[in-house]
Amino acid sequence: MTVRSLLTSAALCCVLALSTPALAQIDPLAATGEWSIPERSQARTPPMGWNSWNAFRTEVDEAKVLGSAKAMVDSGLARLGYTYVNIDDGWWLKRRQSDGRLEIRTGLFPSAAVEGGDTSFRPYTDTLHAMGLKAGIYTDIGRNACSQAYDLHSPNLPEGTTAEREVGLQGHVDQDIGVYFREWGFDYIKVDACGINVYGPDTEVVREYAYTPVPPLIDQAAINRTDVEAVKALYSQVAEALNRHNPDGDYILAICNWGSADVRSWGKDVGHMWRTSGDITPTWTRMLHNFDSASTRALYAKPGAWNDPDILFIGHGEFDQDHLTEARSHFSLWAMINAPLLISYDLRQAPQSLMDIWGNADIVGLNQDPGGHQGVITYASDDVQIIVKTLSTGKKAVALFNRGLGGTEVTLTAAHMKFAGDAPVQLRDLWEPGAASTFTGETSFTLEPRQTLVFEASGARQLDDGVYLSEIPGDVNVAVDGVIAPEPDPVVHRMRNAWGPTRGSGERPTYTGWGGARSDATPYDQALRIGGETFETGIGVLTNSRLEVRNSEHTRFEARVGVDDSTRNTRDAVRFAIYGDGALLAETGPMRFGEAPQTLAADIDGVRLVEIVARSENLSSDLPLVVAWGDAALRR
């Protein structure tokens, strides 16, 4: 049996062991009456803190980390929620072969040289904990880490024989997780995926550095050549080990497989956060790329589970102290889409202008709002975007984002925020303290190149007796989204090669997500439209889908449903149904393309969980059938 077969078989066995309840449910569209995402005690809001990678790469050491940690505490950043202090790649020396234990590079982390000749991070994590902070560590899901392929000039790569340099989790999941969390006291782990991606038997780096060849489970350029289930199973093994070694649930698992392996569809079930793209770089167009990879996936993120477009690059390159407009935009966008806020800069020497960005309590407050609703794009273009986020107070946050190189006029309407058009709307500027304004209907702003304006907005709600589902993505779980064959998302910004010259034909879309459920748009980025009637709000999804909706105080669910006019499948029919705590409440007959929308409503008084299902009727085509829940709302 090949190495790939062994890896895949072991991984799939793990999937079977971990998903017995799911497999027992023969029909994935059958209502369960249960919220299917694990209820996690950690990461109820996006994790915040500091990461060493963009600041130091593998040139990290104890003085740099603890110095930045002290600066977080002394500056007040820690009080704002910047809690996690995360070591990235570069900390390890080797894996001892006598017992498989990892050894720390004590030349970089001198406190790890404990009595008895062993090494331990416990003195280091104790120091961070005594400062009121938490500690994070880095590893890889495979045998070898990313630096062993991409940072070959580094003096801090693992040393020794082939086996001694295998510092990743493969073959050591339970041992390493036990050491990291039970013994060394870490609270957070970032798990990279280079070990199952770039160490194939035919690669030059494997031949030159005598690494153990591993047939890749991930092909970043082709989802069809990626073993999605095997990758998911390997990360699920890590999640199980973390549960065993942290019975109080006090840990965070950050999945770092760069948006590959269709992690969009399963990341929320396995980890607290998952990367949606490749690494960010300190360039404007790469930031756009990373932002786009997460900005349309609001329905897949919620308390305990977050889209992660990578750590902040504020302080470097086109986001340094000479580019404060760009730096504020970068920070604003990450806050609005509930991205984890991880600073990666040497805070021992940070200028006040950058500290003021990270320390903007109002912007941080948007990111940390307990409602957990990722901002939704309510105006979309390649030039300008308007992003609106529902806050737990009932107010809205709104960002006006100029993506381009020229100044532009942006008109903001009450309808963008789902406020009534005939009542005053109050705006409070979150980048200009004390600046406020009021408008009715609409107002306009002039934005500088690359500028983002952010406001807290209050006004009379468009829907005065309830809330549209698209406003509360954190309360909606896409249990099944109907995607059969994951596709790359073509609307993610394509920047020039971020790491080298413009050879070849350019980087193609690779990050799957095309066809996933969307707020206020179809899965393929069209306006919601049924039988010629356009809906400004609603949920767009494919047929054979089931969405779970939390309910606490509303008494009625209603929507205008039908096959979306944009569907490529114009032959087949679909039934729409509403369930309450597992019981069928209302259902349509078969509906087809071109038919007028139907009103579907149900009494949900006392119902804890509403499930909305779109099920194909005698499917005859393999083309996707796009459906719309127009004006879908919880009402009183």
Side-chain angles (χ1 to χ4, degrees):
M1 184 177 285
T2 65
V3 173
R4 180 186 176 92
S5 299
L6 286 168
L7 274 172
T8 304
S9 298
L12 292 178
C13 287
C14 180
V15 166
L16 293 175
L18 290 173
S19 56
T20 302
L23 292 176
Q25 183 187 316
I26 298 173
D27 179 5
L29 302 184
T32 67
E34 298 293 334
W35 183 258
S36 59
I37 299 178
E39 292 286 6
R40 301 182 175 105
S41 58
Q42 297 305 108
R44 300 303 297 174
T45 58
M48 296 175 61
W50 181 90
N51 178 285
S52 63
W53 183 252
N54 289 346
F56 303 116
R57 296 187 72 88
T58 59
E59 307 295 317
V60 63
D61 63 42
E62 191 164 6
K64 293 173 181 175
V65 177
L66 292 182
S68 290
K70 184 176 185 300
M72 282 207 310
V73 173
D74 292 346
S75 67
L77 290 177
R79 289 193 300 275
L80 279 181
Y82 292 94
T83 302
Y84 291 94
V85 177
N86 301 337
I87 308 169
D88 213 284
D89 204 344
W91 62 266
W92 27 40
L93 180 65
K94 65 180 180 180
R95 186 179 294 278
R96 192 164 62 201
Q97 292 306 289
S98 60
D99 56 4
R101 186 179 177 88
L102 285 167
E103 295 186 10
I104 302 162
R105 191 178 289 274
T106 56
L108 299 179
F109 291 87
S111 71
V114 296
E115 292 182 6
D118 215 333
T119 60
S120 173
F121 266 128
R122 174 60 76 168
Y124 162 81
T125 61
D126 283 348
T127 299
L128 287 175
H129 292 154
M131 298 167 68
L133 302 172
K134 294 194 173 186
I137 198 167
Y138 168 95
T139 188
D140 194 282
I141 198 73
R143 294 176 183 271
N144 297 97
C146 292
S147 63
Q148 293 174 280
Y150 294 118
D151 281 73
L152 297 171
H153 64 283
S154 172
N156 298 326
L157 297 181
E159 300 175 0
T161 65
T162 293
E164 287 175 327
R165 288 179 287 136
E166 291 178 353
V167 293
L169 289 173
Q170 186 175 325
H172 300 274
V173 171
D174 194 72
Q175 178 185 23
D176 287 358
I177 295 300
V179 168
Y180 295 155
F181 287 83
R182 280 194 183 275
E183 187 175 332
W184 289 350
F186 280 97
D187 311 286
Y188 175 119
I189 189 166
K190 172 183 172 182
V191 184
D192 226 327
C194 289
I196 57 172
N197 175 230
V198 297
Y199 293 99
D202 298 326
T203 56
E204 182 179 345
V205 72
V206 166
R207 291 192 298 270
E208 184 174 351
Y209 290 88
Y211 296 132
T212 301
V214 178
L217 296 179
I218 292 173
D219 186 328
Q220 286 180 269
I223 184 64
N224 292 336
R225 292 173 53 83
T226 293
D227 195 333
V228 173
E229 289 303 316
V231 176
K232 177 182 176 181
L234 291 175
Y235 277 99
S236 296
Q237 285 182 336
V238 178
E240 286 292 298
L242 285 163
N243 283 329
R244 283 193 299 274
H245 294 290
N246 296 270
D248 61 355
D250 187 11
Y251 68 91
I252 284 179
L253 169 57
I255 298 170
C256 183
N257 67 349
W258 333 289
S260 72
D262 201 32
V263 68
R264 167 199 58 83
S265 67
W266 54 265
K268 58 189 169 61
D269 301 312
V270 176
H272 298 82
M273 50 193 277
W274 54 93
R275 283 278 295 280
T276 58
S277 69
D279 288 3
I280 194 170
T281 67
T283 57
W284 180 256
T285 55
R286 186 67 183 185
M287 186 277 290
L288 292 179
H289 173 88
N290 286 50
F291 170 71
D292 288 349
S293 72
S295 64
T296 60
R297 300 180 181 181
L299 289 169
Y300 294 84
K302 49 206 40 54
W306 307 105
N307 291 311
D308 175 16
D310 205 4
I311 52 184
L312 295 164
F313 233 133
I314 293 168
H316 307 269
E318 294 184 18
F319 308 105
D320 66 11
Q321 60 186 317
D322 295 323
H323 298 84
L324 295 180
T325 296
E326 288 84 352
R328 291 190 189 102
S329 285
H330 182 6
F331 194 65
S332 299
L333 296 171
W334 263 232
M336 287 293 294
I337 64 169
N338 286 1
L341 298 181
L342 296 173
I343 300 167
S344 195
Y345 188 83
D346 187 349
L347 291 179
R348 298 172 300 175
Q349 51 188 16
Q352 190 60 45
S353 59
L354 297 180
M355 296 297 285
D356 289 343
I357 292 174
W358 297 312
N360 184 318
D362 286 326
I363 304 294
V364 168
L366 303 183
N367 180 266
Q368 295 293 294
D369 185 80
H373 304 303
Q374 177 174 318
V376 172
I377 297 172
T378 62
Y379 181 89
S381 76
D382 291 338
D383 304 313
V384 169
Q385 289 174 313
I386 299 175
I387 307 153
V388 176
K389 174 178 165 61
T390 300
L391 304 176
S392 56
T393 59
K395 297 180 180 181
K396 299 294 181 77
V398 57
L400 312 181
F401 175 33
N402 181 5
R403 297 169 64 101
L405 294 175
T408 189
E409 292 287 323
V410 177
T411 299
L412 174 66
T413 71
H416 283 137
M417 298 174 282
K418 296 182 172 57
F419 286 152
D422 58 357
V425 175
Q426 292 81 38
L427 298 178
R428 182 170 70 90
D429 192 321
L430 302 188
W431 280 115
E432 295 293 336
S437 60
T438 301
F439 74 93
T440 299
E442 64 180 46
T443 187
S444 294
F445 298 89
T446 300
L447 271 66
E448 299 173 8
R450 297 181 173 181
Q451 184 179 20
T452 302
L453 301 179
V454 185
F455 303 97
E456 181 188 76
S458 56
R461 298 184 59 81
Q462 197 176 74
L463 193 65
D464 60 5
D465 64 347
V467 62
Y468 292 115
L469 288 198
S470 63
E471 295 181 86
I472 52 168
D475 288 336
V476 180
N477 176 43
V478 184
V480 184
D481 62 14
V483 175
I484 298 172
E487 297 181 70
D489 187 342
V491 301
V492 171
H493 181 80
R494 289 176 62 187
M495 70 292 157
R496 59 152 289 163
N497 184 359
W499 291 278
T502 55
R503 298 191 182 98
S505 60
E507 186 174 9
R508 296 295 196 268
T510 58
Y511 304 114
T512 54
W514 200 232
R518 292 279 301 273
S519 286
D520 294 345
T522 74
Y524 301 117
D525 204 37
Q526 299 297 307
L528 298 171
R529 200 164 182 265
I530 306 170
E533 182 178 342
T534 299
F535 295 87
E536 296 298 328
T537 184
I539 302 294
V541 69
L542 299 182
T543 191
N544 293 325
S545 55
R546 178 172 62 86
L547 279 62
E548 302 163 352
V549 184
R550 290 189 189 273
N551 178 51
S552 59
E553 58 184 17
H554 297 95
T555 58
R556 181 176 175 81
F557 174 88
E558 64 179 41
R560 298 272 287 161
V561 301
V563 176
D564 193 88
D565 288 355
S566 68
T567 188
R568 290 183 288 170
N569 180 344
T570 60
R571 296 202 314 252
D572 291 319
V574 59
R575 287 180 183 267
F576 296 83
I578 305 169
Y579 295 83
D581 292 335
L584 180 64
L585 302 180
E587 186 177 28
T588 69
M591 298 188 66
R592 298 179 183 277
F593 168 76
E595 294 181 1
Q598 290 186 24
T599 298
L600 184 62
D603 181 351
I604 58 169
D605 192 12
V607 169
R608 182 177 52 87
L609 190 78
V610 177
E611 291 168 88
I612 57 175
V613 177
R615 185 188 293 268
S616 292
E617 186 92 349
N618 300 320
L619 195 63
S620 65
S621 171
D622 60 0
L623 289 173
L625 186 64
V626 178
V627 299
W629 295 83
D631 292 341
L634 300 173
R635 310 190 73 158
R636 299 181 187 87

